[in-house]
Amino acid sequence: MAKRPPNATDLIHGDAPPGALARTVGPPIQKGSTVLLPNAAALYDDEHFLTYGRTGLAAQAALAQALAGLEGAAGVALYPSGVAALSGAMLALLKAGDAVRIVDTVYKPTRRFCDQVLTRYGVEVEYYDPAMPADHLFAQAPANLRLVLLESPGSLTLEMQDVAAIAAAARARGVLTVMDNTWGAGWLFRPLDHGVDVSVQSLTKYVGGHSDLFMGSAAARNPAVFSKLSQGITHMGWAVAGDDAYQMLRGLRTLPVRMGRHGESGLKIATWLTEQSQVVKVLHPALPGAPGHELWRRDYTGACGLFSIVLKPGNDADGFLDALKLFGLGFSWGGFESLALACDPQLKVRRYPKAYGGPVVRLHVGLEDPDDLIADLAQALAGV
Ligand SMILES: Cc1ncc(COP(=O)(O)O)c(C=O)c1O
């Protein structure tokens, strides 16, 4: 008997359900909003079944598990960007009537979220100087202080904080600590080991490593805190794609090798910069004698490629930047390529402004040959 031509039902149901997958070194990239469940009871059994794809499938679970190992966490929540991880963690942990203390060197979009969103929802926002000793910070704190946000080193001027002292003082008062640890990437510094409640990073930077992917993570050791972060994601409806999670996991595999090279080249270039007459200061915490070096030496196992320099007063930062050939001009960092930008326009919003002694330029040292980068900096400095 002649087989009838295929109809729409055949196109939808004509394939065989997948059998056991061949084992590859990376996780399968599953794509799915709908998750098919084995029986009617399972449809409403969220405790034993994953019932909807938004919470993440194989690749997201593999990435979260690997990051939990990196951070020493009970669980890691994934967000569509680093800013989403910072804002998501704060939204999940705060309520109207709470007060927060935010480090003054915080990443500018995090500051914007605190000033423009948290305040709208009745959270009192104040900034503190990164150098403020923990006991001063808490001596001045109101009774409704619920959360302290740290970012160390700050991503423009690289000011270091005494993370362990702040975390211990906060915990003694029942105040939560959240740290933006994008510089340390969980590899050079593990905030949870130092008493921080939530370690956040923009995975977009060093974990992704190729400047082509957005994602953020928030890691917690206390299961109750992690549960709040997860609930926050459920309430906000955030999701990350399986393809992105796969790519991020691929980046994580080579993080130590890349980070070693970023750190080594960065220090070589920073050291060379200390000897240049056009540079008055190098703001790199791993450089002996630089501000924050003692805290870095106490807490960190290495350095990444991000640091800043202060040009002699009167020198034209834009002229220097425009003369660079290998360093691209652009935001972000953590990728394989070297980047530079002027910091002063962003430093204007500081509550506790500091005199750095000249125009501040941030450099991200990528994976190029450091001698080529030095030659590029030398020719650009010669012109300032
Ligand atoms: C210190 C720091 N935290 C967070 C972020 C935000 O990351 P994302 O671009 O993934 O939102 C950035 C981005 O530049 C950053 O520099």
Side-chain angles (χ1 to χ4, degrees):
M1 204 173 70
K3 203 168 177 255
R4 64 168 171 75
N7 67 9
T9 307
D10 294 322
L11 297 186
I12 291 169
H13 294 285
D15 59 331
L21 293 171
R23 193 161 166 251
T24 50
V25 294
I29 301 176
Q30 287 184 289
K31 289 172 177 278
S33 49
T34 298
V35 172
L36 293 174
L37 291 152
N39 53 50
L43 282 168
Y44 294 99
D45 183 357
D46 291 332
E47 219 174 288
H48 300 101
F49 293 93
L50 194 158
T51 57
Y52 198 48
R54 193 172 52 222
T55 43
L57 301 166
Q60 293 93 326
L63 174 63
Q65 195 186 341
L67 288 170
L70 177 75
E71 301 265 8
V76 169
L78 298 176
Y79 301 78
S81 72
V83 171
L86 288 153
S87 59
M90 286 192 269
L91 284 176
L93 299 171
L94 292 168
K95 61 179 185 327
D98 286 342
V100 292
R101 289 291 179 269
I102 310 288
V103 68
D104 198 29
T105 39
V106 74
Y107 176 56
K108 199 173 158 200
T110 310
R111 182 180 208 111
R112 196 165 51 205
F113 167 79
C114 294
D115 290 344
Q116 296 182 20
V117 181
L118 284 186
T119 52
R120 194 147 46 85
Y121 287 93
V123 174
E124 294 161 27
V125 175
E126 271 201 30
Y127 294 88
Y128 67 95
D129 192 308
M132 183 183 271
D135 48 345
H136 287 206
L137 176 61
F138 289 98
Q140 295 173 7
N144 59 341
L145 180 63
R146 172 75 180 135
L147 187 149
V148 173
L149 188 92
L150 302 92
E151 181 182 318
S152 182
S155 67
L156 293 175
T157 49
L158 287 297
E159 274 137 283
M160 297 287 296
Q161 296 189 255
D162 190 339
V163 174
I166 295 172
R171 189 158 291 193
R173 290 161 180 81
V175 172
L176 290 166
T177 45
V178 175
M179 176 173 175
D180 182 338
N181 185 43
T182 304
W183 198 91
W187 181 249
L188 308 172
F189 182 71
R190 300 207 321 168
L192 305 183
D193 289 349
H194 297 258
V196 171
D197 292 300
V198 181
S199 167
V200 175
Q201 62 164 313
S202 163
L203 300 169
T204 311
K205 306 292 182 293
Y206 283 110
V207 176
H210 294 74
S211 307
D212 54 4
L213 198 55
F214 279 102
M215 207 179 293
S217 61
R221 190 165 287 176
N222 179 335
V225 174
F226 175 63
S227 163
K228 285 202 166 186
L229 297 175
S230 306
Q231 282 168 27
I233 289 190
T234 305
H235 297 147
M236 299 305 288
W238 284 318
V240 303
D243 303 75
D244 288 354
Y246 183 94
Q247 294 252 100
M248 203 47 91
L249 190 56
R250 185 159 73 173
L252 185 65
R253 317 280 193 206
T254 57
L255 176 69
V257 190
R258 287 184 288 108
M259 199 59 119
R261 171 74 183 234
H262 283 293
E264 212 176 283
S265 297
L267 258 183
K268 177 173 179 173
I269 292 169
T271 306
W272 176 83
L273 282 162
T274 58
E275 294 153 6
Q276 306 313 304
S277 60
Q278 303 91 334
V279 175
V280 287
K281 225 178 283 168
V282 179
L283 306 173
H284 189 320
L287 205 58
H293 180 67
E294 293 311 316
L295 284 172
W296 175 85
R297 209 165 58 146
R298 186 191 73 184
D299 291 345
Y300 282 68
T301 58
C304 70
L306 191 81
F307 65 95
S308 290
I309 55 175
V310 182
L311 295 175
K312 264 198 175 156
N315 275 324
D316 172 21
D318 285 358
F320 168 67
L321 292 171
D322 287 340
L324 290 167
K325 294 189 168 70
L326 286 178
F327 282 81
L329 306 187
F331 292 94
S332 203
W333 41 290
F336 55 84
E337 78 293 7
S338 291
L339 292 170
L341 56 77
C343 299
D344 293 276
Q346 291 193 59
L347 298 177
K348 286 187 188 136
V349 297
R350 292 268 293 260
R351 167 94 168 70
Y352 301 95
K354 298 228 166 84
Y356 292 97
V360 183
V361 170
R362 184 178 83 180
L363 300 175
H364 177 252
V365 171
L367 301 178
E368 301 94 335
D369 187 316
D371 291 332
D372 291 337
L373 296 174
I374 287 176
D376 191 27
L377 291 166
Q379 64 79 25
L381 282 174
V384 292

